[in-house]
Amino acid sequence: MDLILSIESSCDDSSIALTDINSLKVIKHLKLSQEKEHKKYGGVVPELASRLHAAALPKLLEKFKPYFKDIRAVAVTTEPGLSVSLHEGVIMAKAISSFLEIPIISVNHLKGHIYSTFIEKKATTPLLALLLSGGHTQIIKVNSYKDMEVLATTMDDSVGEAYDKVAKMLNLGYPGGPIIEKIAKKGDENRFNFPIPLQNSPKIAFSLSGLKNAVRLKIEELGGPNMSEQDKSDIAASFQKAILKHLLQKSKKIFQKEKIKDFVIVGGVAANRYINEGFKRLCKEFGKNMHQVKLEYTSDNAAMIGRWGVEAYKNKEFSKLEEIIPKATKKVSIGRL
Ligand code: KG4
Ligand code: ZN
């Protein structure tokens, strides 16, 4: 077998995977989430994340030892993310590269998310990807594994961040996305008319901070997190409705211009059924083929890093050890990734 070992540690998930370079099969994929540990702080604490990665990654790697002789390259997330977290994966990858005398591949986490679309599948580009994660909200035109162009990005918060912040305001815990989605099912999405961001602006961009503030004011008006369960559900449902409308309105503008047939939502928020259903309708209207990332690969994972790594391996895109330095940039400005 010819395998790629991949490592992901950009935020609060420690993950290692093995991907078969020829068949694209994920041979092994392990992940330890730190959600529970960060929960009590209402968000990710970088120093704690780094310490937990330092403990988790060697434990996970133990389980991959039987495959060492078949590993042809090691792929590791180097950007963007929390620098102290990225660092833990990077030092492990460098050690493996030296010890096994195999090349090292530097992977951009966002490109990894996009390539989660093609886990265990042949890649089909061009592709339009809506990246919705905790740190990013972008529409990306994917011309090839390397050539990606950001067509729209958020001017302030990301969608995942907005979900997390609203959940925090309602005292519901972290991460907020799945909780808000769940309680929204019992809510009335028409009870509150939250403003749809940039509704009257020709800008093809996203913005979540105004909506977040409108939700904050409504929560205060209703007496804060002690409001009734029904009020919370109504807030969650109305908030989600505004987010979906915003995403659809701006995506529609891009769909009108870009004739690319294939579309996908990637990143943690891609797990959201309500958002997915909305985009299924939009894709149908525009005759687009909507790909679906397997649920286990929507949130951060090493399999997606390995999948992008396969493309880099086939193109002999390797880095020198000394060139691999984690880059902490959380936001990517408009331009090419
Ligand atoms: O991609 P991801 O795992 O990590 C980053 O790279 O940031 O995304 C995490 C984000 C969190 O903000 C989380 O609340 C959100 O994805 N999320 C969701 C859902 N599941 C996770 N947001 C909305 N609905 C969900 N079902
Ligand atoms: Zn991510």
Side-chain angles (χ1 to χ4, degrees):
M1 272 200 296
D2 298 309
L3 306 174
I4 285 193
L5 182 89
S6 52
I7 304 171
E8 158 63 36
S9 71
S10 66
C11 192
D12 59 346
D13 292 296
S14 314
S15 180
I16 305 185
L18 270 179
T19 307
D20 188 314
I21 295 167
N22 305 307
S23 71
L24 303 176
K25 284 262 169 291
V26 177
I27 304 298
K28 198 175 180 69
H29 171 228
L30 298 177
K31 171 166 145 172
L32 276 177
S33 174
Q34 308 173 354
E35 258 165 32
K36 260 202 264 125
E37 286 84 353
H38 294 289
K39 212 175 198 141
K40 47 182 169 286
Y41 305 104
V44 179
V45 181
E47 282 304 325
L48 176 61
S50 155
R51 260 186 284 134
L52 292 169
H53 284 308
L57 287 172
K59 229 192 278 172
L60 294 179
L61 188 66
E62 259 317 297
K63 309 258 181 3
F64 289 83
K65 275 195 173 153
Y67 298 92
F68 272 17
K69 66 176 182 351
D70 294 322
I71 298 174
R72 305 289 169 253
V74 55
V76 62
T77 306
T78 53
E79 64 172 324
L82 302 169
S83 69
V84 285
S85 292
L86 288 165
H87 189 70
E88 295 301 325
V90 166
I91 49 175
M92 175 175 268
K94 285 185 174 183
I96 293 169
S97 167
S98 301
F99 179 65
L100 297 180
E101 296 180 351
I102 52 171
I104 190 164
I105 297 165
S106 159
V107 186
N108 177 304
H109 180 80
L110 310 182
K111 290 180 181 170
H113 268 304
I114 291 165
Y115 266 68
S116 66
T117 316
F118 304 129
I119 289 176
E120 305 201 312
K121 279 184 209 152
K122 203 173 160 295
T124 48
T125 49
L127 170 80
L128 275 180
L130 173 62
L131 167 68
L132 301 177
S133 69
H136 297 84
T137 293
Q138 297 178 333
I139 295 182
I140 298 154
K141 184 175 171 181
V142 183
N143 299 315
S144 73
Y145 82 101
K146 276 210 301 197
D147 183 14
M148 301 188 189
E149 200 179 332
V150 181
L151 301 179
T153 193
T154 179
M155 293 156 58
D156 37 64
D157 290 355
S158 72
V159 168
E161 208 173 345
Y163 269 96
D164 292 339
K165 284 179 179 167
V166 169
K168 200 172 177 180
M169 288 179 222
L170 291 170
N171 237 348
L172 293 171
Y174 170 86
I179 310 169
I180 295 283
E181 181 181 15
K182 189 166 169 221
I183 67 164
K185 289 195 182 115
K186 291 174 269 173
D188 172 6
E189 65 174 24
N190 296 317
R191 176 160 167 210
F192 305 111
N193 253 332
F194 292 129
I196 313 300
L198 305 175
Q199 176 149 244
N200 300 315
S201 162
K203 268 197 187 130
I204 303 183
F206 302 105
S207 169
L208 280 306
S209 68
L211 172 61
K212 179 188 70 188
N213 281 328
V215 174
R216 186 197 307 280
L217 291 175
K218 189 52 75 182
I219 291 174
E220 279 167 15
E221 194 186 309
L222 293 170
N226 294 326
M227 70 178 78
S228 74
E229 294 303 308
Q230 190 56 52
D231 283 349
K232 284 188 186 180
S233 293
D234 293 347
I235 293 249
S238 308
F239 162 74
Q240 266 210 142
K241 182 185 168 195
I243 287 218
L244 177 64
K245 265 202 161 172
H246 176 42
L247 291 175
L248 287 175
Q249 275 176 4
K250 296 302 174 186
S251 303
K252 196 171 176 170
K253 286 197 196 301
I254 287 182
F255 279 17
Q256 282 160 348
K257 281 204 235 166
E258 294 290 341
K259 299 292 164 234
I260 295 170
K261 276 265 165 258
D262 292 274
F263 173 78
V264 70
I265 309 178
V266 297
V269 187
N272 187 295
R273 297 308 323 154
Y274 179 81
I275 291 179
N276 264 284
E277 289 309 315
F279 272 90
K280 272 189 201 156
R281 291 191 294 273
L282 188 72
C283 282
K284 205 166 167 205
E285 188 188 326
F286 281 83
K288 295 215 187 289
N289 170 30
M290 185 164 158
H291 295 247
Q292 207 82 49
V293 176
K294 263 197 185 167
L295 211 54
E296 63 177 309
Y297 299 129
T298 52
S299 57
D300 291 350
N301 66 86
M304 68 188 197
I305 303 305
R307 182 62 190 86
W308 192 88
V310 168
E311 303 295 321
Y313 182 86
K314 287 182 176 163
N315 286 284
K316 298 197 168 49
E317 260 301 308
F318 306 128
S319 296
K320 291 199 179 110
L321 279 189
E322 64 272 22
E323 281 170 9
I324 303 245
I325 298 163
K327 294 196 197 88
T329 43
K330 199 67 185 148
K331 309 269 181 207
V332 171
S333 58
I334 295 179
R336 286 189 181 246
L337 284 182

